[in-house]
Amino acid sequence: MNIQLMTDGGADIPERLRKKADIIQVPLYLHFSDGQYKSGVDLDLPSFYKKIAETNELPRSSAPSPHDFYSAYKQIDKEVPILMLSLTKGLSSTYENAVAGMQLLLDEEPERTIAVINTKTASCGIALLLHEAISKIETNYTFAQLVDHLEGRAEQTATLFVLKTLENLIQGGRLDKVKGKIAKTLNIKLLMRASKDGAIEVTEKVRGDKKSIRRFIDQIGELTKNVEDKVISLSHCNAEERAKKVLSEIREKYPFKDALIMDTGPLISTYGGEGALVISFFKHSK
């Protein structure tokens, strides 16, 4: 490929895309009480789950540093343009650090061609944008066209979440304990989405797992049409069978032309908890 695609630890990438393109992923940091780990480098997914089970604690996460990004950019051949698709600015300082790393590189090598895009999404949403980038590179988009196209696509990306458990949100301090206790007692499931600026907002509280999945699927039709020309991207937190079942229900109702499916990495798994599902697709243009 004549353009180097990069992302960070906030992205979840299916094997299929990894095989198709050499995507470089800058890892984020996970802090357990026994020390700091680089996600995907010092700790793969099975050992991450094992660690949570053994320690009964959720890690804190932190963004790659500007120097981490600078080092990753620096390794790319000077002649190759770099497109970095960053985790949403609404959730992390990753985007700012990716931009700061780009600045360090450009101060040293001003002739470099590089762009950083705030995807306003995470997990399978970034996978969807990487899939789109690969398909446009294959149709010989120039670097400028690609950046422009992906910036537009980032604005059109819908990212929806459904949580099976609230345990991780409560433990991670993202949900008030009292509210969490009431919600658990009433078997309330949260439907969430990435907001316009890429933060996470709760859209609905639904009672029971089946109902929450039904609403999760119904929302697709409210946000997009002409799905025959579109791709749906789904990630799951340690729940492959659940994910496959929901994906087949989605495709039965909405005939997307293709689907990507993947595990959520440590970042999303930390907040989503077991059984969480995330879907991303492009909304219809108004």
Side-chain angles (χ1 to χ4, degrees):
M1 276 195 160
N2 56 344
I3 292 169
Q4 178 63 57
L5 294 175
M6 291 180 79
T7 186
D8 52 62
D12 296 320
I13 309 170
E15 209 40 54
R16 220 176 109 174
L17 290 193
R18 288 191 192 277
K19 281 180 179 154
K20 215 165 188 196
D22 170 33
I23 301 160
I24 292 172
Q25 198 165 12
V26 183
L28 55 88
Y29 295 95
L30 297 166
H31 306 267
F32 283 91
S33 51
D34 68 351
Q36 171 180 284
Y37 297 83
K38 269 189 181 179
S39 156
V41 179
D42 310 319
L43 210 57
D44 64 7
L45 216 42
S47 31
F48 165 76
Y49 285 123
K50 190 170 173 229
K51 195 155 193 56
I52 287 177
E54 282 169 1
T55 58
N56 197 26
E57 64 167 314
L58 288 176
R60 274 187 315 103
S61 60
S62 61
S65 68
H67 190 265
D68 290 335
F69 283 108
Y70 162 80
S71 303
Y73 301 150
K74 182 87 176 150
Q75 286 168 26
I76 310 305
D77 185 306
K78 288 181 184 184
E79 302 304 310
V80 177
I82 300 168
L83 179 59
M84 166 73 201
L85 295 177
S86 157
L87 171 65
T88 171
K89 191 179 168 181
L91 286 183
S92 162
S93 57
T94 302
Y95 170 74
E96 280 99 338
N97 291 359
V99 170
M102 170 178 77
Q103 223 31 73
L104 289 172
L105 182 76
L106 291 173
D107 289 347
E108 204 177 274
E109 299 171 10
E111 72 289 352
R112 286 274 200 161
T113 304
I114 178 169
V116 179
I117 291 177
N118 169 21
T119 63
K120 298 190 178 179
T121 183
S123 188
C124 60
I126 300 178
L128 182 69
L129 291 166
L130 285 166
H131 178 274
E132 182 77 358
I134 292 165
S135 69
K136 295 306 173 192
I137 290 168
E138 284 171 347
T139 60
N140 295 321
Y141 266 45
T142 65
F143 187 72
Q145 282 174 321
L146 186 68
V147 172
D148 193 46
H149 180 73
L150 267 291
E151 279 174 345
R153 281 304 203 197
E155 295 298 330
Q156 289 176 316
T157 305
T159 307
L160 308 176
F161 306 76
V162 63
L163 302 189
K164 193 174 184 184
T165 172
L166 299 176
E167 205 49 63
N168 291 46
L169 279 187
I170 298 165
Q171 224 180 312
R174 300 275 165 140
L175 187 68
D176 179 287
K177 278 193 167 58
V178 178
K179 280 186 190 160
K181 203 165 189 164
I182 295 165
K184 275 161 68 178
T185 310
L186 298 173
N187 193 18
I188 296 290
K189 308 294 175 191
L190 294 186
L191 292 174
M192 302 155 106
R193 70 169 172 216
S195 65
K196 238 181 161 40
D197 60 356
I200 290 180
E201 57 188 20
V202 174
T203 51
E204 291 176 45
K205 295 166 185 159
V206 182
R207 214 167 183 174
D209 195 46
K210 276 191 177 143
K211 263 192 196 156
S212 71
I213 293 294
R214 201 175 315 133
R215 266 308 289 145
F216 185 57
I217 294 171
D218 285 348
Q219 288 178 101
I220 298 170
E222 292 161 17
L223 293 168
T224 194
K225 45 191 177 198
N226 306 329
V227 295
E228 302 79 5
D229 308 326
K230 292 178 177 159
V231 176
I232 187 152
S233 185
L234 180 149
S235 53
H236 62 87
C237 180
N238 210 17
E240 194 176 355
E241 285 316 304
R242 174 177 168 84
K244 283 180 172 167
K245 185 171 178 291
V246 170
L247 186 58
S248 87
E249 285 173 33
I250 289 171
R251 295 188 83 180
E252 222 166 87
K253 190 165 183 178
Y254 309 104
F256 281 93
K257 72 167 178 188
D258 198 2
L260 303 166
I261 186 167
M262 68 219 77
D263 288 286
T264 55
L267 178 73
I268 306 301
S269 304
T270 297
Y271 296 113
E274 297 262 335
L277 299 178
V278 188
I279 47 173
S280 267
F281 48 89
F282 296 132
K283 293 180 275 198
H284 58 260
S285 326
K286 286 174 179 142

